[in-house]
């Protein structure tokens, strides 16, 4: 009651809608950050080209749909494969020479991001592209006073599936054990016969693929443009840094930032919501620079 | 010690000042020494600068502006040029960076010696280059809509001002859909000033403003705003959201279950380009106010659309209001320059003289795709007919209302206490003149 009078008109059903929307915003923050979590968390590569991987995902979907007539639902996994392949090539050609110099990866991948952006502009032009989706995705559900858009549910479902799959991969497979071993101590893992070079290569490709997957979804929510990735890379880094570079950290950080953004926007407005959110993030990182769930092991 | 440091600082400051001023003084002196006051010479091409972004975030609209200017220049040259001289564009890339805009402006004026600059899309870039343009007493053709509240002797604008833009749209929407409206805009100067104007028209039409929300530029998350709109239940939405955000806004509008027939978006920006990028099903049913639509049914427009799309510049596959306003600026320049040459001869042509002789220049029905327009002889903006179009299922617009008469541009319509823009500067209510106000 006190809160109600403090914030002026407080409408519980509208607030519940805001909370539900918060989950959806959180899933968008999180799926944008998943790939980066893996790349940064495992290999310590500060991948500035992450936004451009997202952009490539959107463009691969556009290309497959427009030139090969692939239905949208198949474009999503296809975008994963294509961008993972791009990531693989990039890792073999450039990133693997930089693992010993993590700060240089920042500059190198920033350069890569510019190359990718201008390359796409050369091939596809700078006008915005359009991704068609089945009409069922452009509708919404209404359950009582709760309104949910179908596509937001799809994004949420894919995000949950991706998180579960990643967890299973890292904690229930032999490859996951190897990855975690390399994360903790690369030399020690190598001495036990783990091919750390191969682990890095595969995790980088996996991270890039996840960004491509996110891109194919963002192309529907948003717009397909060579510059579309620039906004997401900041978001993604915030989630990863606040989370501490672990999978669980990113899930919690993405969830918290999404909900906070939605709740602040409900009480005030969108501009102010972002202002408060970023201030809170800065304050949080001042108090806990290692993030929410930092890996306890030694890093290179 | 202290004294010597101070004198060192003084000397270096002087030196720095001289270094900055030197190029300008040098160029000016040479001009005076050679008596080279004429910016164009008989029989030589007339150079104009095209200052648009060909890369970066603003490339989407501005690349089209560059292409349509080249098309217009080709057309003018094919018809014999201006007073027998061909026009030659100097094309630069402003890279969506405001520092580059102002650097390139200096370069165009001082090195390339262009007689006029056509450029900018956002108000921010215009404000970045205007100090340079004014200091050189040069001439900027600003070929798009803007908020007004500016008065200089160095700009000619061929797009609608805020006072023209929403004048018909708001009463039309109130009449068709109801009195209750929600304003959504991008968070920068143009939407805010446009909304101030819209509120005046809304009050006159007896409408009611339920809410006003601004979204950060480039943001693509409209969930919170759409939730607020759902709770407020307006009859229509008035949008000044620009760029990529605008596309996300229309997409999420439909994805969140809003119905276009009961709550359409009335926009000042969502034209043919945006509709195509978002997909026709997301654009259909919404309204746009603009002086030009590709679907305008008149022989001049048919010729313009067909000619442009067939030309080597028409690869984007559409024409839209921003391109047409840019196209018009080329003809406003042509007629203005012809007037100037008639009045003072080729030797007397300066950028400022072109501007002064552009007062009242008309672009007739036979040339202007949107129909007759003319340049105001006081504030050098454009008299034009705003039109309202409704987006159809195929992405084209159907004109549902067109102003009967050309509407006067007035950059200070909502600030009568600041003054009135005249040809010689801003005239305050107490009679004081201020030469240039930006």
């Amino acid at each position: 009651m006190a809160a109600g009078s403090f914030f002026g008109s407080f409408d519980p059903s509208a607030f519940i809608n805001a909370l539900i929307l918060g989950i959806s915003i959180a899933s968008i923050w999180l799926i944008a950050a998943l790939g980066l979590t893996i790349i940064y968390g495992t290999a310590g590569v500060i991948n500035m080209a992450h936004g451009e991987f997202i952009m490539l995902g959107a463009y691969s979907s556009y290309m497959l749909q427009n030139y090969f007539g692939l239905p949208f639902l198949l474009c999503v996994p296809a975008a994963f494969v294509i961008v993972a392949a791009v990531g693989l090539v990039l890792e073999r050609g450039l990133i693997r020479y930089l693992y010993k110099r993590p700060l240089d990866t920042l500059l190198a991948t920033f350069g890569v991001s510019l190359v990718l952006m201008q390359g796409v502009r050369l091939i596809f032009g700078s006008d915005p592209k359009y991704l068609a989706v089945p009409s069922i995705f452009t509708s919404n559900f209404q359950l009582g006073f709760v309104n949910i858009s179908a596509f937001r549910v799809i994004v949420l479902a894919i995000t949950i599936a991706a998180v579960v799959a990643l967890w299973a991969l890292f904690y229930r497979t032999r490859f996951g054990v190897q990855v975690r071993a390399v994360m903790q101590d690369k030399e020690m893992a190598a001495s036990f016969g783990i091919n750390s070079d191969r682990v890095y290569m595969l995790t980088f490709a996996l991270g890039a693929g996840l960004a491509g997957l996110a891109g194919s979804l963002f192309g529907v929510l948003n717009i397909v443009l060579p510059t579309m990735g620039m906004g997401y890379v900041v978001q993604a880094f915030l989630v990863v840094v606040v989370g501490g570079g672990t999978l669980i950290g990113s899930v919690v950080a993405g969830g918290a930032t999404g909900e906070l953004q939605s709740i602040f926007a409900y009480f005030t407005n969108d501009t102010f919501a972002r202002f408060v959110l970023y201030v809170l993030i800065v304050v949080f990182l001042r108090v806990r620079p290692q993030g929410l769930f930092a890996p306890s092991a030694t890093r290179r | 010690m202290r004294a010597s440091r101070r004198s060192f600082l003084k000397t270096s400051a002087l030196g720095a000042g001289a270094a900055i001023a030197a190029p300008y003084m040098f160029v000016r002196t040479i001009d005076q020494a050679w008596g080279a006051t004429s910016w164009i010479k008989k029989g030589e091409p007339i150079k104009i600068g095209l200052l648009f972004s060909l890369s970066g975030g603003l490339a989407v609209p501005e690349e089209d502006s560059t292409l349509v200017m080249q098309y217009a220049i080709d057309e003018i040259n094919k018809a014999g040029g201006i007073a027998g001289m061909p026009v030659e564009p100097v094309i630069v890339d402003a890279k969506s960076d405001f520092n580059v805009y102002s650097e390139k402006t200096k370069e165009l004026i001082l090195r390339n010696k262009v007689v006029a600059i056509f450029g900018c899309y956002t108000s921010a870039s215009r404000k970045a280059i205007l100090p340079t343009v004014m200091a050189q007493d040069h001439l900027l053709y600003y070929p798009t809509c803007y908020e007004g509240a500016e008065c200089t002797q160095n700009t000619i604008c061929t797009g609608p001002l805020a006072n023209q833009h929403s004048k018909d749209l708001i009463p039309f929407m109130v009449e068709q859909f109801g009195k209750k409206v929600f304003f959504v805009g991008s968070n920068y100067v143009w939407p805010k000033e446009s909304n101030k104007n819209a509120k005046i028209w809304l009050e006159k039409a007896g409408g009611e403003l339920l809410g006003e929300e601004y979204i950060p530029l480039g943001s693509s998350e409209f969930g919170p705003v759409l939730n607020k709109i759902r709770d407020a239940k307006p009859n229509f939405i008035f949008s000044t959201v620009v760029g990529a955000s605008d596309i996300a806004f229309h997409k999420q509008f439909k994805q969140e279950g809003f119905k276009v027939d009961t709550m359409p978006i009335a926009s000042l920006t969502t034209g043919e380009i945006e509709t195509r990028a978002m997909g026709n099903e997301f654009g259909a049913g919404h309204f746009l106010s603009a002086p030009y639509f590709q679907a305008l049914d008149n022989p001049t427009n048919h010729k313009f659309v067909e000619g442009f799309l067939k030309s080597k510049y028409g690869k984007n596959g559409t024409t839209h209001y921003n391109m047409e306003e840019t196209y018009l600026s080329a003809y406003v320049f042509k007629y203005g320059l012809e007037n100037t040459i008639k009045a003072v001869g080729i030797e007397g042509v300066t950028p400022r003289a072109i501007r002064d002789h552009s007062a009242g220049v008309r672009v007739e029905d036979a040339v202007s795709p949107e129909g007759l327009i003319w340049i105001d002889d006081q504030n050098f903006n454009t008299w034009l007919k705003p039109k309202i179009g409704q987006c159809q299922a195929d992405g084209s617009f159907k004109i549902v209302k067109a102003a009967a008469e050309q509407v006067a541009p007035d950059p200070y319509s909502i600030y009568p206490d600041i003054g009135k823009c005249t040809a010689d500067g801003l005239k305050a209510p107490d009679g004081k003149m201020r030469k240039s106000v930006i």
Side-chain angles (χ1 to χ4, degrees):
Chain A
M1 205 183 92
S5 56
F6 176 71
F7 289 116
S9 63
F10 180 82
D11 178 1
S13 67
F15 185 68
I16 290 171
N17 263 323
L19 289 182
I20 292 171
L21 180 70
I23 298 175
S24 166
I25 297 179
S27 71
I28 293 170
W29 281 75
L30 178 56
I31 198 156
L34 268 186
L36 195 67
T37 309
I38 296 175
I39 291 174
Y40 179 71
T42 312
V45 173
I46 304 167
N47 181 20
M48 296 299 286
H50 186 71
E52 280 55 51
F53 285 162
I54 291 178
M55 182 266 294
L56 282 184
Y59 269 93
S60 352
S61 300
Y62 164 77
M63 191 179 70
L64 291 170
Q65 189 173 67
N66 265 41
Y67 299 117
F68 304 102
L70 214 61
F72 175 74
L73 280 182
L74 288 180
C75 289
V76 178
F80 176 90
V81 175
I82 293 176
V83 182
V86 173
L88 195 75
V89 171
L90 186 65
E91 202 274 347
R92 286 292 89 184
L94 176 70
I95 308 292
R96 70 163 156 164
Y97 302 108
L98 300 172
Y99 286 126
K100 291 206 177 65
R101 298 177 285 154
L103 276 182
D104 290 353
T105 61
L106 189 152
L107 274 181
T109 52
F110 183 63
V112 168
S113 85
L114 295 178
V115 170
L116 290 177
M117 214 188 296
Q118 303 301 339
V120 165
R121 185 172 276 131
L122 281 177
I123 298 168
F124 293 101
S126 54
D127 54 318
K129 302 294 183 210
Y130 164 61
L131 268 181
V133 288
S135 58
I136 179 127
F137 292 170
T138 61
S139 58
N140 78 326
F141 307 118
Q142 191 148 18
L143 308 163
F145 58 82
V146 177
N147 273 291
I148 314 162
S149 117
F151 197 74
R152 286 183 182 273
V153 176
I154 305 260
V155 174
L156 181 62
I158 293 181
T159 308
I160 293 173
V163 170
V164 170
L166 277 183
W167 175 83
L169 179 71
F170 279 159
Y171 294 93
R172 287 289 176 272
T173 65
R174 198 179 155 74
F175 174 71
V177 174
Q178 293 182 348
V179 171
R180 285 183 293 138
V182 172
M183 262 173 87
Q184 287 190 351
D185 195 321
K186 186 185 165 195
E187 281 73 28
M188 190 56 85
S191 72
F192 279 92
I194 294 173
N195 185 347
S196 65
D197 206 36
R198 183 170 155 272
V199 166
Y200 278 162
M201 176 183 85
L202 289 177
T203 47
F204 194 91
L206 178 65
L210 284 169
L213 179 98
S216 67
L217 299 174
F218 294 161
V220 178
L221 272 175
N222 191 357
I223 181 173
V224 184
L225 266 185
T227 47
M228 68 180 280
M230 294 198 300
Y232 290 110
V233 71
V234 179
Q235 255 180 317
F237 264 109
L238 283 180
V239 170
V240 172
V241 171
V242 169
T246 55
L247 184 60
I248 175 76
S250 286
V251 172
V252 174
T257 44
E259 276 298 344
L260 285 177
Q261 190 188 340
S262 180
I263 291 171
F264 289 139
Y266 169 73
F267 284 120
T268 59
N269 61 59
D270 219 68
T271 310
F272 190 70
R274 277 157 211 260
F275 166 77
V276 176
L277 185 63
Y278 291 133
V279 167
L280 283 180
I281 289 176
V282 170
V283 171
F284 173 80
L285 289 177
R286 169 69 189 80
V287 178
R288 204 177 153 79
Q290 73 272 37
L292 280 170
F293 299 91
S296 49
T298 54
R299 294 285 294 272
R300 287 171 313 276
Chain B
M1 181 73 188
R2 181 180 286 177
S4 74
R5 191 166 77 190
R6 186 182 295 160
S7 66
F8 167 73
L9 283 176
K10 236 190 229 167
T11 334
S12 49
L14 265 178
I20 292 168
Y24 299 92
M25 300 196 309
F26 185 55
V27 168
R28 290 243 156 132
T29 333
I30 287 185
D31 276 2
Q32 282 151 11
W34 288 352
T37 43
S38 74
W39 287 73
I40 54 177
K41 295 190 190 69
K42 197 161 178 56
E44 281 181 26
I46 299 163
K47 280 204 223 167
I48 58 172
L50 306 189
L51 178 67
F52 296 102
S53 294
L54 304 175
S55 56
L58 292 169
V60 173
E62 299 201 9
E63 201 176 6
D64 285 348
S65 302
T66 313
L67 291 167
V68 81
M69 270 307 291
Q70 288 171 270
Y71 173 72
I73 291 166
D74 280 7
E75 210 176 67
I76 290 172
N77 287 344
K78 231 175 265 167
I82 303 176
M85 289 168 284
V87 180
E88 183 189 306
V90 179
I91 300 170
V92 292
D93 178 6
K95 299 178 182 166
S96 305
D97 178 339
F98 302 133
N99 293 324
V100 179
Y101 274 97
S102 89
E103 271 165 35
K104 292 286 178 189
T105 305
K106 285 185 194 132
E107 193 181 304
L108 284 170
I109 298 175
L110 297 176
R111 185 189 299 168
N112 299 319
K113 306 224 67 184
V114 301
V115 72
I117 295 173
F118 296 72
C120 303
Y121 175 72
T122 60
S123 293
S125 58
R126 185 186 70 249
K127 289 195 191 284
I129 73 165
L130 271 183
T132 312
V133 172
M134 280 158 35
Q136 300 291 330
D137 209 8
H138 210 262
L139 175 60
L140 169 71
Y141 285 84
Y142 182 62
T144 189
C145 51
Y146 78 115
E147 65 277 4
E150 226 171 63
C151 189
T152 76
Q153 282 101 66
N154 305 92
T155 32
I156 295 177
C157 169
T158 51
L161 279 174
N163 81 304
Q164 301 165 298
H165 220 163
S166 56
K167 179 173 182 279
D168 286 346
L169 184 63
I170 297 276
F172 174 83
M173 296 302 289
V174 167
E175 195 181 297
Q176 297 281 314
F177 294 94
K179 289 181 181 309
K180 289 185 281 184
V181 55
F182 200 102
F183 285 7
V184 183
S186 291
N187 200 357
Y188 75 108
V189 55
W190 179 73
K192 293 198 167 179
E193 292 292 316
S194 293
N195 282 349
K196 278 187 197 160
N197 272 284
K199 275 181 212 162
I200 290 172
W201 302 124
L202 187 66
E203 204 174 301
K204 281 192 182 146
E208 183 193 347
L209 182 60
L210 298 182
E212 193 174 348
E213 285 281 330
Y214 294 95
I215 302 294
L217 263 178
S219 164
S220 59
E221 180 56 78
F222 281 86
V225 169
L226 285 168
N227 266 352
K228 282 185 186 172
I229 294 176
R230 200 192 319 268
D231 291 337
K233 298 190 188 63
N235 300 116
F236 69 97
I237 300 166
F238 178 69
S239 158
T240 42
V241 180
V242 301
S245 302
D246 190 31
I247 287 157
F249 180 43
H250 279 77
K251 278 188 170 181
Q252 289 171 30
F253 175 88
K254 186 157 193 243
Q255 286 164 352
E256 294 286 342
F258 287 84
K259 294 281 174 290
V260 65
D261 20 304
T262 51
M263 198 198 292
I265 302 173
S267 166
L268 297 185
T269 54
T270 317
E272 286 87 352
I273 287 269
E274 285 83 359
T275 306
R276 208 180 37 173
M278 69 181 74
N280 298 339
E281 77 260 34
F282 295 102
H286 297 298
F287 293 86
L288 167 71
S289 171
Y292 174 83
F293 292 91
Q294 185 173 25
L296 279 181
D297 189 20
N298 67 60
T300 314
N301 184 39
H302 293 167
K303 193 178 127 232
F304 169 63
V305 173
E306 207 171 295
F308 178 74
L309 295 185
K310 270 195 201 145
S311 74
K312 60 184 168 185
Y313 308 112
K315 66 174 171 136
N316 78 354
T318 186
T319 62
H320 57 105
Y321 60 90
N322 196 50
M323 291 166 72
E324 193 260 0
E325 287 153 14
T326 313
Y327 175 78
L328 288 181
S329 70
Y331 279 92
V332 171
F333 168 73
K334 174 179 193 273
Y335 300 146
L337 182 54
E338 282 171 356
N339 286 351
T340 317
I341 293 175
K342 227 176 276 165
V344 294
I346 286 181
E347 315 74 45
V349 171
T350 62
R352 177 59 190 276
I354 299 176
R355 180 268 187 185
D356 291 344
H357 289 95
S358 293
V361 155
R362 291 159 69 94
V363 185
E364 302 286 346
D365 283 336
V367 176
S368 164
E370 71 178 64
L372 169 69
I373 57 130
W374 65 89
I375 300 297
D376 189 83
D377 58 4
Q378 291 301 314
N379 61 44
F380 291 82
N381 289 286
T382 302
W383 288 67
L384 45 78
K385 284 185 188 172
K387 300 166 186 74
I388 300 169
Q390 185 178 26
C391 187
Q392 305 296 302
D394 64 352
S396 72
F397 281 79
K398 186 178 138 197
I399 287 87
V400 290
K401 187 170 185 196
E405 297 280 322
Q406 276 79 358
V407 180
D410 184 356
Y412 286 90
S413 67
I414 53 171
Y415 303 110
D417 49 319
I418 294 183
K420 192 116 190 108
C421 185
T422 71
D424 302 314
L426 184 68
K427 194 172 177 192
D430 59 5
K432 252 189 219 157
M433 289 288 273
R434 280 195 287 167
K435 192 164 164 262
S436 291
V437 182
I438 53 170

